[in-house]
Amino acid sequence: MRKTAAFASLLALVSVALIARSFAEDQKDSGATVGVSIGAKAPDFTLQDPNGKNVSLHDYLGKIVVLEWTNPQCPFVQRHYAAKTMQTLASQYESKNVVWLAINSSNFDTNDANQQWAAQQNISYPELNDSSGVTGKAYHATNTPEMYVIGTDGTLLYQGAIDNDPQGEKTSDKINYVHQALDEILSGKPVSTPQTKPYGCSVKYKD
Amino acid sequence: MFTRAFCFCMAALVSFQTAQTPAAHVHAELLADVFAIQPGKPFWLGVRLSIDPGWHVYWKNPGDAGLPTRVNFTLPDGFTARLLQFPTPRRFVQPGNIVAFGYEDSVMLLAQITPPPNLPADFQGRFQAAVSWLVCSDVCILGKATPSLALPSSPSPASADRELFDDWISQLPVNWAGNPEVAAVHSTATPGDTNPSSRTCAVQITWTHPAPEPVDFLPEALTDYNLLNTAVKSSQNTTLIGFTLEPLAGKTPGPESLQAVVGYLDKNGKRRGIDISVALPAHDANNH
């Protein structure tokens, strides 16, 4: 009796494993969203800055590029701007061959709104308009803020959260992952934490 | 009708006392399933969140984005609280294929409270819940409230809001073995073909009746993996759930297990959940 039950459950497990495999095959065909991979080439894009000027990723080959997915209406973004997390980091590395680009993929984004936000926050770097969501989806950006660091050769070196403090309440052991990655890249070391789980508001895509 | 009007007034009063901002989109109340507490006899505290139409708050794993709803209880001396329990959430797919787990309309987060056995007959205590949440629709807003409740002691049972509590308690996930609708659950996790450090996982649920539709796969958060490609298929008495776990770049996860809830609507349209666990064997050091 026990033996039969054990055999039946073994059979069931084998069939589950087979089905899992066929699921995985199905999904390869359907082009499921995996996003970009660490070490792979970061997708190129051309987006407008608040003045309507085109900015392309390929313009910055030879530089380290930080992409910051942002949305001024998101409380997590607001918290980091109030604490000057992004502004301080961007200016700290400006003279070290690091370019900072903020990208807003909210469906309601406009150049005017980005202009206003940049003036209000005294931001030196461009906030790019991706209201179509095409660039956000190419990177599979899901959160604001969500950070990407791209090496001088155009490969992705970091993707994920700005820091390890989603609730904004840590008083010790706080790690800013972008800070850490930039320091490591600039001193020729591999990035020790190349991927983390981003936290924040969902990106407000159009579709 | 009268009861409903009365409840509404009480709710308005609590809201005023805890000074919530008017555009919070979430209203929090603290309720108990007793009018009075018996010495040593456990009872439930419930944090009921009433959510504006079109808005949602998040489960303990918010999904691809969002923030878990949190509750911290402050109890009178000698009282202990068990783990906060979340009713089975819904799965939302937002534009851009962003998956979220959470609640619309209303939810009650529950904790079982045990009073001390030597509770004095003249006891009168205040219970407080510090609640924080992220509520989202087209935009997201952080919110918090600290509703509280005073309860006396009683030598005899004094049940309150029984129907409401029973309704939400029945929506807490339970182990499948204790659910007469489920005959068996099997799961596997095998190394991926293209990436041996990934795990191709499958869960098979055998129901004692035709499979409910839809069935939601609601995984708890994993620190070292991304969960991708969730697919759920049912046929006759069987539901199959497939998904892939990919370690975050730079991570070599140790042996662990994925805890998840399988959510569905029963034949009466009530949300139900089954707790499941998928064992994830250690990564072979040679598999890189």
Side-chain angles (χ1 to χ4, degrees), chain A residues 9 12-13 16 19-21 23 26-27 32-33 38 73 75 142-143 167 169 194-195 197 200-205 207, chain B residues 64-66 70 95-98 138-140 186-188 190 193 200 202 204 222 225-226 229 231 233 240 242 248-249:
Chain A
S9 75
L13 274 179
V16 169
I19 289 153
R21 215 153 272 262
F23 264 26
D26 282 359
Q27 280 141 18
T33 45
I38 301 300
Q73 295 198 21
T142 52
N143 282 250
Q167 303 274 358
E169 60 192 7
Q195 195 177 28
K197 296 213 172 172
C201 308
S202 56
V203 176
K204 307 303 177 195
Y205 287 114
D207 48 27
Chain B
D64 291 335
R70 294 201 303 185
N97 203 21
I98 296 174
D138 291 340
V139 294
C140 297
H186 295 288
S187 65
T188 63
T190 53
D193 286 338
T200 302
Q204 177 184 278
L222 279 171
Y225 288 101
N226 277 323
N229 304 337
K233 285 180 193 170
L240 282 163
L248 295 182

Side-chain angles (χ1 to χ4, degrees), chain A residues 44-75:
Chain A
D44 196 14
F45 57 79
T46 300
L47 296 169
Q48 285 191 355
D49 77 5
N51 302 315
K53 193 180 136 232
N54 280 344
V55 172
S56 300
L57 180 62
H58 64 249
D59 296 343
Y60 299 108
L61 210 62
K63 290 181 182 293
I64 297 162
V65 179
V66 177
L67 303 182
E68 172 205 339
W69 254 266
T70 192
N71 167 11
Q73 295 198 21
C74 168

Side-chain angles (χ1 to χ4, degrees), chain B residues 107-121:
Chain B
V107 64
M108 188 147 78
L109 306 180
L110 293 150
Q112 208 167 30
I113 309 294
T114 305
N118 56 350
L119 194 70

Side-chain angles (χ1 to χ4, degrees), chain A residues 114-147:
Chain A
N114 291 340
Q115 184 107 56
Q116 233 174 39
W117 173 249
Q120 196 187 325
Q121 300 294 330
N122 203 14
I123 302 170
S124 58
Y125 47 86
E127 171 133 339
L128 307 177
N129 182 339
D130 180 44
S131 55
S132 73
V134 170
T135 303
K137 286 177 190 172
Y139 279 81
H140 200 229
T142 52
N143 282 250
T144 57
E146 182 168 340
M147 311 302 296

